[in-house]
Structure formats: structure tokens, C-alpha cells
């Protein structure tokens, strides 16, 4: 059973963004399946892959927001930046084997699902009301 299962309620109705969000969830599940109690070399490579993909995805999202003159763009960008910084912190700590995998998975799950359902959803509401 996957650690996080995609739900239709996570869908924002923008094909590109939804596909990228689904890919992030797949990567989160890959990390969960890597499976050791602490983040080790193997799981660390999954984290790096996820950070790289998240960066690409955030750029794509921010580009659409700019095109639509989204008024909350700056705040949204800082949420993305904070996420990347936090995950990079985890990844660095993982080099010393000090990160319980469960703690990282819970952070990623809560952040991703929370961000999609609140901040990203607000943007979709903005586009729909424009
Ligand atoms: Fe976002």
C-alpha cells in the first residue's frame, strides 16, 4: 500500500500542475518504500531527486502565476522557497544519518498535501473568478 494515495480532491483542474503534483506524490512513495528507519544513502538520493523535481515544478507553477498576475505570488514563492530549504536541511542532516525517515515522510506529506489543498487551491480559485 502506498504511503500517500492521490485523491481526486487534490486535483486543481490544471493538467500540467496536477500531473506534476502526482509525480511528487510518486516520488514521496518511492522514498517511503526505500524503507529504512533512518534516511541513508539510498533514501538520500530519492530526496535529491524530489528536491530537483520540486524546483522544476515550482518554477512552472510560478510562471503560470506571473502570467495571470496573481496578487499572492510573492507569498506563494516564499512558501516554495521555505519548502526547498527545509528539505535540503533534511538531506544534509541525512548525510550524518540523523534523520528518522518517518519524520521526513510526515513533513513531506503534510506540506505537499496541505500546500496543494490551500495555497495552490487559492490560485485556482483566483483564476476561476477572474
Ligand atoms: Fe505551489
Amino acid at each position: 500500500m502506498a504511503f500517500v494515495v492521490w485523491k481526486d480532491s487534490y486535483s486543481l483542474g490544471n493538467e500540467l500542475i496536477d500531473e506534476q503534483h502526482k509525480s511528487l506524490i510518486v516520488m514521496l512513495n518511492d522514498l517511503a518504500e526505500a524503507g529504512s528507519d533512518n534516511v541513508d544513502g539510498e533514501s538520500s538520493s530519492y530526496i535529491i531527486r524530489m528536491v530537483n523535481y520540486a524546483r522544476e515544478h515550482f518554477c512552472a507553477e510560478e510562471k503560470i502565476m506571473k502570467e495571470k498576475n496573481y496578487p499572492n505570488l510573492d507569498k506563494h514563492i516564499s512558501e516554495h522557497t521555505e519548502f526547498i530549504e527545509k528539505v535540503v536541511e533534511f538531506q544534509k542532516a541525512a548525510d550524518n544519518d540523523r534523520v528518522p525517515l518517518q519524520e521526513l515522510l510526515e513533513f513531506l506529506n503534510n506540506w505537499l498535501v496541505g500546500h496543494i489543498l490551500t495555497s495552490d487551491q487559492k490560485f485556482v480559485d483566483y483564476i476561476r473568478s477572474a
Side-chain angles (χ1 to χ4, degrees):
M1 171 92 184
F3 177 69
V4 186
V5 178
W6 176 267
K7 297 190 184 103
D8 285 343
S9 60
Y10 298 167
S11 177
L12 301 174
N14 177 297
E15 209 176 321
L16 173 74
I17 291 180
D18 284 339
E19 283 312 309
Q20 291 181 339
H21 284 161
K22 280 181 194 167
S23 298
L24 283 168
I25 301 261
V26 168
M27 288 180 192
L28 177 53
N29 284 324
D30 286 346
L31 175 62
E33 278 162 29
S36 51
D37 291 340
N38 289 297
V39 176
D40 56 14
E42 192 187 351
S43 32
S44 179
S45 68
Y46 285 113
I47 303 174
I48 294 168
R49 188 170 69 126
M50 190 178 218
V51 170
N52 289 338
Y53 190 80
R55 279 201 178 101
E56 253 177 61
H57 160 62
F58 292 157
C59 277
E61 218 179 69
E62 289 162 13
K63 186 168 174 269
I64 299 172
M65 289 176 176
K66 265 181 212 145
E67 284 165 6
K68 302 281 180 189
N69 294 317
Y70 185 46
N72 292 330
L73 178 65
D74 287 349
K75 186 174 173 290
H76 203 103
I77 290 176
S78 26
E79 285 184 31
H80 288 167
T81 308
E82 273 169 36
F83 173 77
I84 296 285
E85 282 170 2
K86 181 84 182 153
V87 181
V88 168
E89 228 172 77
F90 267 117
Q91 197 267 323
K92 280 185 186 152
D95 288 342
N96 303 317
D97 255 352
R98 282 187 288 110
V99 179
L101 184 59
Q102 202 56 33
E103 185 187 320
L104 173 61
L105 291 173
E106 273 161 27
F107 166 76
L108 292 171
N109 180 28
N110 291 339
W111 193 92
L112 282 173
V113 173
H115 181 82
I116 291 170
L117 292 180
T118 55
S119 300
D120 290 343
Q121 181 63 53
K122 270 188 201 155
F123 173 60
V124 172
D125 293 344
Y126 165 78
I127 297 179
R128 288 194 181 135
S129 69

